[in-house]
Amino acid sequence: MYSTGNESLVKQAREIQDEELHKFYGRISKLLNANRDHGNETIDSLQRLNLIVSATKYAKTLPPDLKKKLQTLLLSKTHPEQIQVLFTSILRESLPLSTQELSDGLAQDTRSSSYVAAVVLSQAANKDDVAPVCQHLLKHLESRQPDGQICKHTLPILTKLISYSPEILTEDQVNLVSRKLVDWLRYASLQQGASMSTGGFFSGPRTRQPVPVTEVDGAVAGDFFTVLCVGHSFGEDQWMNMYAFSMIRKWLLTYDAEGTSGGESAHLSQIQFMLSQLQDDRSEVDSSVVSMVSATSSSSRLLPPKERLREKAFEYCHRLIEQSDRKAMKRTDTELQKACIVEAVTIMDIICKEDPSYVYRAFPSVKALYGRLSGELAYARALIPIAQFYLNHSEMAAVDSEAVFRQLFSRFPSELFNEPALAYEFVQFCRANMAVLEDGVALYRQSFPNIFKFLAWTSPALVADYMELLPSLMCPDTAVEILHSLLDLPCLAATLDLQQRSASYQASERVLWDHGSKVASALEAFRQPSYRGLFLYILRPEAGSGDTIDRLKMLHEVLSEMAASPRVVQCAQVVPVLLHVFFNNVTKFADEKLINQLALVLLERSSLLYNIKQFKIELFRVFSTHIRTLCKLHPSLIVNQSRELLDFAGSTANIYSKEELYTNVVWLIGEYLSVVHDPRCSVELITTFFEGLEAVLFEITQVRQSVSPPSYPPRVLTVLMTTLSKLASRSQDLIPRVSLSLSKLCNFARSRLVLASYSEEDTEEIITRAHELTNLLKLPSVAQFVLAPAALGESPRWHRDTNASLPRAMRTISGLLHKQSSFQQSG
């Protein structure tokens, strides 16, 4: 967010008038023309101009002379970097420039290449606009410039250019860059670059003697130079080595073709791999094999440029993995080792996918690397690309990968759930490999309780990823438990919070607990043995330990003080979103048995939800929507779950606390409790449901004059009336009873207390509905037709409001009955 002062400046920049703006343009032009060495006044004016052109989403049109002057100064190498950055930023926010003019100016100066490229890329409409910049960079790759700096700027710009338009390079140009990358990766000097002399008395030839670069542990580097080599200063070729390594992954993904390695090379690699499997995990390969591999490596000079780059990149990554085993003397070097492991394993994975013969050469070092890092949680992020490597190639190499995935899915979420960077990379790994994981790694779906821990801890940032990930975790065996876990997700967030807080306590601060004493706080409960089973269930690492727990209500009470925690509230907000995803996907594979189980969970858990503000209300809306969907898919659900539905609908307490869900359940009973949907629907079952709902309606209408009536919503009353009428139309012996109930309801709606409680419109709706139903039931055959439409009917039913009002046909029949009655009386 902007501070108050910054907001004022932005507002001024947005509201500046055209007249004042043109005067300001003229002032800047004079400053740029007058000053060769631009001072503070010029810098301040350029900063204000930058704010003006970037304060809105609309590009500004600069005067032609000012635009020309900025372009000319941008190409000049006499200005400090701060000035050139300002020129670049201003031109990027201006209306389209002449990219050709900028590109032509590059021939005179090489230092400003990156700035010009940034402007051109922001203005480019197609690859033709960026082609001149690309040609300029490639030209200077072939002919080294006197200042020796063009290559440093070239590779980052080239990476941006190929990201914008990969097809901008021809095959010859790709080969050119590939050859250059090979040289930079493999043949950088092992001597430190010349350091700047301080000019002191003792500075002389002896201080300028070449000094070898070292490894991170201080030993002299004995092999070729890499980014993990240490020195006080680096030469240009060493810097290019680092630049080349930083872009090699992007280059291989963009331009590396399918491998053309011969069968002999693949066979040799397989021999090496098989021998290394017989050795220690450190891969102490027999010298004869090493000599064969060396011979193969030496013949790489005869390979085409792309394949030679692949070979040298592989060797480079292999050396990085070896270097990462050294004990770094500085903490920054340790972090660099971790980053290099990630990049090296990822590049080796890309190479192996392009040329499978590399798999046998790569697996010994990757396997040894995993064995070394698997016990150290500090290297958790480095283990994700290793898991990716195993996922892609373990089958080909016939290597068991279960230990790798158990580490990934079991230990990481349990112990590192509070690491946001790891959570993001873990979820991206799962998303990228969903199809392979759900089919080939059984532990993936079994570990969904663990995988949800990242979501519970970092809900807002990961909800979009988990919306895509959730369907891959679902199957008939896990669906019910996943539903319970989603409903318990806020409890999981609260428990993880308690786990982290409890771990911060010293062992000496912990005391023995009296099992009979009252728990003073959730943290104390977490550390008390009598509650251990509850928290262990919520924190379980794998599925299969039960759908839910009997003492869930007790857990909610223990965690009640954490219901207002920001982390818990944020977690609760994502649950409705994920429930929609769950139900939209579960219906794709659920059979009738699973549908019945899910409906039963909705009814049971409606009374067992964590008490968070608005959480229950939102979940009841979700339950209402999807229990209708489940019944529509399998209408026999009403008969299968008749006892549970009747218990739910027969409780007036549910009207108060679960109005939305209660209304939909009552409507579903009236809609699907019919022999048309299930031949098991007997008269006795219809009568049982009728009597239960009749008792509810009777309880509502028994209002004493001395007390206020219960505030039942009118919609609940109209749905109850309609459902009772539907059931009576299917068992006509019940018609007199429902007619009596409707009559009582009319009297109830006209009572003084009800008129004071309901609006006139609500009262009229209740009375009108009662009259319509009463008149309709006078013609039982017609009532059955109107109130029980065909199961396969596709035509709209013209409801006035969702799931509650009657079809328009009922109103037509009611009008006819009224007319018939009036005609007979007049006769």
Side-chain angles (χ1 to χ4, degrees):
M1 296 295 293
Y2 293 116
S3 64
T4 305
N6 288 338
E7 286 183 353
S8 177
L9 290 174
V10 172
K11 184 177 181 181
Q12 292 177 21
R14 288 173 177 170
E15 296 177 353
I16 189 170
Q17 300 298 315
D18 289 343
E19 183 178 354
E20 182 182 356
L21 184 59
H22 285 294
K23 290 181 180 179
F24 184 60
Y25 288 154
R27 180 186 169 194
I28 292 179
S29 295
K30 291 179 181 178
L31 287 172
L32 294 177
N33 289 326
N35 297 329
R36 184 175 297 275
D37 297 326
H38 303 296
N40 292 334
E41 183 181 2
T42 304
I43 293 175
D44 290 342
S45 297
L46 288 172
Q47 288 175 338
R48 187 183 175 196
L49 177 60
N50 182 40
L51 180 61
I52 290 172
V53 297
S54 60
T56 66
K57 64 180 180 180
Y58 303 106
K60 297 287 186 182
T61 303
L62 298 178
D65 58 332
L66 176 58
K67 183 172 65 175
K68 182 70 174 177
K69 184 65 177 177
L70 290 173
Q71 289 182 215
T72 303
L73 294 173
L74 177 65
L75 295 169
S76 173
K77 60 182 178 181
T78 60
H79 300 290
E81 187 174 3
Q82 181 186 9
I83 296 289
Q84 285 196 303
V85 169
L86 282 172
F87 292 156
T88 304
S89 183
I90 293 168
L91 290 172
R92 287 179 64 179
E93 297 293 337
S94 305
L95 283 175
L97 308 172
S98 173
T99 56
Q100 186 63 45
E101 291 181 11
L102 286 170
S103 302
D104 292 344
L106 283 172
Q108 303 171 2
D109 175 42
T110 58
R111 179 174 167 271
S112 58
S113 300
S114 58
Y115 302 119
V116 174
V119 175
V120 171
L121 284 171
S122 68
Q123 303 283 352
N126 50 55
K127 71 173 185 178
D128 293 335
D129 290 335
V130 298
V133 177
C134 185
Q135 297 300 326
H136 169 78
L137 297 175
L138 293 173
K139 176 182 176 182
H140 285 82
L141 274 180
E142 294 184 273
S143 57
R144 183 174 174 179
Q145 296 300 299
D147 59 7
Q149 297 297 316
I150 177 61
C151 291
K152 282 189 181 182
H153 299 287
T154 299
L155 293 186
I157 303 170
L158 196 59
T159 303
K160 291 182 180 180
L161 289 173
I162 64 176
S163 298
Y164 178 84
S165 178
E167 64 277 6
I168 197 170
L169 299 184
T170 64
E171 184 68 21
D172 291 340
Q173 291 170 336
V174 170
N175 290 334
L176 166 66
V177 178
S178 295
R179 286 193 294 269
K180 289 290 184 179
L181 289 172
V182 167
D183 293 339
W184 290 323
L185 283 175
R186 195 60 177 85
Y187 303 112
S189 172
L190 282 173
Q191 304 297 323
Q192 294 189 33
S195 59
M196 297 296 293
S197 174
T198 59
F201 177 79
F202 293 101
S203 62
R206 293 180 65 86
T207 63
R208 300 193 190 98
Q209 291 298 320
V211 179
V213 294
T214 64
E215 304 286 359
V216 290
D217 60 357
V220 175
D223 209 332
F224 59 89
F225 182 89
T226 71
V227 293
L228 282 179
C229 292
V230 179
H232 293 291
S233 60
F234 296 112
E236 183 197 352
D237 60 337
Q238 293 165 339
W239 281 113
M240 291 311 301
N241 179 282
M242 302 177 197
Y243 277 100
F245 177 66
S246 69
M247 74 167 290
I248 193 66
R249 187 207 302 197
K250 176 70 177 178
W251 185 263
L252 291 175
L253 287 173
T254 306
Y255 295 113
D256 197 12
E258 288 294 330
T260 55
S261 175
E264 183 178 350
S265 175
H267 180 64
L268 176 61
S269 300
Q270 187 171 9
I271 292 175
Q272 177 194 358
F273 176 74
M274 293 171 64
L275 289 173
S276 67
Q277 289 291 86
L278 299 176
Q279 300 292 333
D280 179 74
D281 283 342
R282 303 291 297 169
S283 299
E284 297 176 358
V285 187
D286 184 80
S287 59
S288 61
V289 178
V290 172
S291 63
M292 285 191 295
V293 174
S294 300
T296 304
S297 179
S298 63
S299 65
S300 66
R301 294 181 181 275
L302 304 177
L303 294 173
K306 289 182 183 179
E307 294 183 34
R308 186 158 184 256
L309 174 60
R310 192 186 302 149
E311 173 71 30
K312 296 306 177 183
F314 183 87
E315 292 177 6
Y316 193 100
C317 293
H318 190 275
R319 170 151 162 73
L320 285 178
I321 292 175
E322 291 178 344
Q323 288 178 295
S324 68
D325 192 21
R326 296 177 178 270
K327 182 68 175 178
M329 300 173 64
K330 297 180 180 178
R331 183 179 178 181
T332 52
D333 289 337
T334 301
E335 296 302 314
L336 181 60
Q337 282 178 312
K338 296 177 184 178
C340 287
I341 289 172
V342 172
E343 192 70 8
V345 175
T346 303
I347 292 172
M348 291 175 79
D349 181 41
I350 295 170
I351 292 172
C352 290
K353 284 191 288 187
E354 292 295 340
D355 188 346
S357 68
Y358 281 92
V359 171
Y360 306 106
R361 295 169 57 185
F363 241 114
S365 59
V366 174
K367 183 180 178 182
L369 179 65
Y370 170 73
R372 176 162 52 87
L373 302 183
S374 59
E376 301 183 36
L377 290 177
Y379 285 85
R381 293 175 63 186
L383 289 171
I384 292 180
I386 294 177
Q388 182 71 64
F389 189 91
Y390 270 82
L391 188 66
N392 292 338
H393 310 295
S394 61
E395 184 177 354
M396 178 181 179
V399 174
D400 185 13
S401 58
E402 182 179 357
V404 179
F405 296 119
R406 186 160 296 279
Q407 172 94 348
L408 184 67
F409 294 123
S410 297
R411 193 177 180 192
F412 285 3
S414 292
E415 302 184 41
L416 301 172
F417 58 86
N418 57 346
E419 296 285 342
L422 176 65
Y424 174 78
E425 292 174 9
F426 176 91
V427 173
Q428 295 307 309
F429 167 81
C430 293
R431 280 186 58 187
N433 301 283
M434 285 189 298
V436 180
L437 289 172
E438 61 182 290
D439 292 336
V441 182
L443 190 62
Y444 171 65
R445 280 177 168 163
Q446 285 296 110
S447 300
F448 77 81
N450 246 6
I451 295 174
F452 281 173
K453 290 175 183 176
F454 285 128
L455 172 64
W457 191 261
T458 322
S459 302
L462 297 178
V463 61
D465 297 303
Y466 272 84
M467 288 175 67
E468 293 191 27
L469 200 60
L470 183 58
S472 67
L473 296 169
M474 295 166 53
C475 67
D477 295 333
T478 62
V480 174
E481 191 172 350
I482 285 178
L483 177 56
H484 281 291
S485 297
L486 290 174
L487 297 175
D488 292 333
L489 204 59
C491 295
L492 178 58
T495 304
L496 291 173
D497 197 341
L498 293 176
Q499 181 182 0
Q500 187 177 39
R501 287 161 55 190
S502 179
S504 65
Y505 280 75
Q506 298 296 327
S508 60
E509 299 177 9
R510 304 187 180 185
V511 298
L512 294 176
W513 298 96
D514 177 10
H515 289 258
S517 63
K518 183 178 179 180
V519 179
S521 69
L523 182 58
E524 292 177 356
F526 183 81
R527 298 162 62 189
Q528 194 174 41
S530 59
Y531 290 93
R532 184 170 179 80
L534 292 174
F535 291 112
L536 284 179
Y537 173 78
I538 290 296
L539 294 173
R540 67 195 187 280
E542 294 183 16
S545 56
D547 296 338
T548 186
I549 48 178
D550 297 332
R551 296 191 298 164
L552 195 56
K553 186 175 182 180
M554 181 186 295
L555 179 65
H556 293 163
E557 292 174 355
V558 171
L559 297 175
S560 59
E561 69 181 56
M562 302 191 66
S565 165
R567 188 180 304 281
V568 175
V569 171
Q570 286 184 329
C571 182
Q573 290 171 349
V574 309
V575 173
V577 178
L578 294 173
L579 284 176
H580 282 302
V581 176
F582 173 85
F583 282 107
N584 290 338
N585 286 275
V586 77
T587 53
K588 297 176 182 178
F589 60 79
D591 57 10
E592 185 174 356
K593 180 181 177 181
L594 181 55
I595 292 290
N596 279 274
Q597 289 177 319
L598 295 174
L600 186 59
V601 170
L602 296 184
L603 294 176
E604 290 177 346
R605 290 303 303 268
S606 66
S607 300
L608 287 171
L609 295 174
Y610 195 14
N611 190 19
I612 303 174
K613 188 177 181 180
Q614 292 296 317
F615 179 59
K616 289 185 176 181
I617 297 174
E618 292 296 328
L619 288 197
F620 289 152
R621 290 174 181 168
V622 177
F623 288 4
S624 301
T625 299
H626 292 291
I627 199 170
R628 293 200 308 267
T629 304
L630 298 179
C631 283
K632 185 176 180 180
L633 284 173
H634 291 283
S636 58
L637 183 153
I638 301 296
V639 177
N640 294 333
Q641 306 296 335
S642 57
R643 179 179 300 176
E644 290 76 11
L645 288 169
L646 187 56
D647 289 343
F648 183 88
S651 174
T652 54
N654 290 332
I655 302 177
Y656 287 113
S657 59
K658 311 163 189 174
E659 176 198 337
E660 183 81 15
L661 181 58
Y662 182 87
T663 305
N664 280 274
V665 168
V666 172
W667 180 84
L668 289 169
I669 292 170
E671 187 75 5
Y672 295 110
L673 187 63
S674 169
V675 71
V676 175
H677 297 289
D678 194 322
R680 297 174 296 167
C681 183
S682 61
V683 173
E684 291 77 9
L685 185 59
I686 291 175
T687 303
T688 301
F689 270 96
F690 180 90
E691 290 174 348
L693 297 179
E694 183 186 39
V696 173
L697 195 59
F698 177 79
E699 185 176 341
I700 292 174
T701 56
Q702 299 307 300
V703 181
R704 297 182 180 180
Q705 297 298 320
S706 59
V707 296
S708 299
S711 56
Y712 295 114
R715 183 166 175 255
V716 173
L717 299 180
T718 56
V719 172
L720 275 168
M721 289 189 295
T722 305
T723 297
L724 286 170
S725 300
K726 288 180 178 181
L727 297 179
S729 70
R730 297 163 197 166
S731 179
Q732 297 182 8
D733 292 341
L734 301 174
I735 289 179
R737 293 170 62 176
V738 74
S739 297
L740 179 61
S741 296
L742 293 173
S743 176
K744 289 182 178 180
L745 196 60
C746 287
N747 296 331
F748 164 78
R750 293 190 182 98
S751 65
R752 179 175 56 83
L753 291 177
V754 173
L755 290 173
S757 178
Y758 290 159
S759 66
E760 182 179 349
E761 193 174 298
D762 291 339
T763 304
E764 182 182 352
E765 173 68 20
I766 295 171
I767 295 173
T768 302
R769 178 62 56 82
H771 282 309
E772 289 175 347
L773 292 169
T774 301
N775 290 329
L776 186 60
L777 291 171
K778 291 177 181 179
L779 300 174
S781 59
V782 176
Q784 188 173 8
F785 169 75
V786 174
L787 296 173
L792 300 177
E794 297 294 336
S795 59
R797 299 199 341 247
W798 306 106
H799 278 121
R800 188 170 59 187
D801 56 33
T802 307
N803 302 327
S805 297
L806 293 173
R808 184 178 294 179
M810 180 187 291
R811 303 190 183 281
T812 304
I813 293 171
S814 180
L816 292 173
L817 289 171
H818 276 298
K819 288 181 180 180
Q820 182 180 4
S821 177
S822 300
F823 176 77
Q824 290 174 349
Q825 290 176 1
S826 64

